[in-house]
Amino acid sequence: MRRSLLLLGIFALPLAGCGDDGKEGTTISLNSMTEDGNVTAGVDGKTGEVAINAPGFSGKITLPKLKLDSSDFEMNGVHLYPGSTISGMNIVAHDGKDGDDKANVRVTFDSPAEPAVVRDWFFDRLGKADFKITKSGTGLKGTDEEDKPFALELTPAANGHSTGVIVAGD
């Protein structure tokens, strides 16, 4: 799952040219640390600015805003609750010595249902996708299929919606 989540962030950057409906887009940040140096990249959801800073290269460009939704994010075949939109994604990866790589992904999103409904929807689907999880208030805690920590926090939002935060990885 870690590689899938990391690759989503990396491949989402070129999609920043995917139209602009005037609304705020998804903010994405990527920070990767390797023995060759640090690489940071990001998409600003408010402006559409894409910035990359890597050893030997640095640049910025403004493109139409990118808006990710439930179909753009997946954990072992489980997408976000139907109708959800992603407001932010933060990916941190460390290239460790001797294969001790670590990655952490934090995704914030809005779902068009109350927290308990969204939690139960995830509980059912993630359980079938080899996650070992338990309900914790209006969220979930446990581990993914690689026994890496996983947490879902949900809070009520306006109009019967939920604001969610998924944190997965080391």
Side-chain angles (χ1 to χ4, degrees), residues 6-23:
L6 181 59
L7 289 174
L8 171 69
I10 292 169
F11 291 121
L13 290 175
L15 296 175
C18 293
D20 182 359
D21 60 6
K23 296 181 181 176

Side-chain angles (χ1 to χ4, degrees), residues 76-146:
N76 280 14
V78 178
H79 292 277
L80 293 179
Y81 185 86
S84 296
T85 56
I86 299 172
S87 57
M89 182 179 298
N90 183 16
I91 303 163
V92 178
H94 301 276
D95 187 12
K97 295 181 180 180
D98 301 322
D100 187 27
D101 300 342
K102 296 184 186 251
N104 179 282
V105 177
R106 179 182 174 92
V107 178
T108 54
F109 61 95
D110 176 81
S111 289
E114 298 286 335
V117 172
V118 177
R119 178 204 56 205
D120 292 346
W121 186 90
F122 272 112
F123 184 77
D124 178 55
R125 284 157 181 82
L126 291 174
K128 292 175 183 174
D130 296 327
F131 281 64
K132 296 173 188 87
I133 51 177
T134 59
K135 293 180 182 179
S136 175
T138 57
L140 301 172
K141 289 187 179 183
T143 58
D144 65 14
E145 79 287 359
E146 296 176 355

Side-chain angles (χ1 to χ4, degrees), residues 4 22 28 33 39 46 51 56 60 71 106 110 118 123 146 162 164:
S4 297
I28 300 172
M33 291 158 241
V39 176
K46 293 180 182 177
K60 291 183 182 181
S71 66
R106 179 182 174 92
D110 176 81
V118 177
F123 184 77
E146 296 176 355
S162 301

Side-chain angles (χ1 to χ4, degrees), residues 1-2 22 26 29 49 69 75 104 119 134 137 150 160 169-170:
M1 180 179 81
R2 290 182 304 149
T26 303
S29 66
E49 182 178 85
D69 62 28
M75 301 171 292
N104 179 282
R119 178 204 56 205
T134 59
F150 171 85
D170 302 310

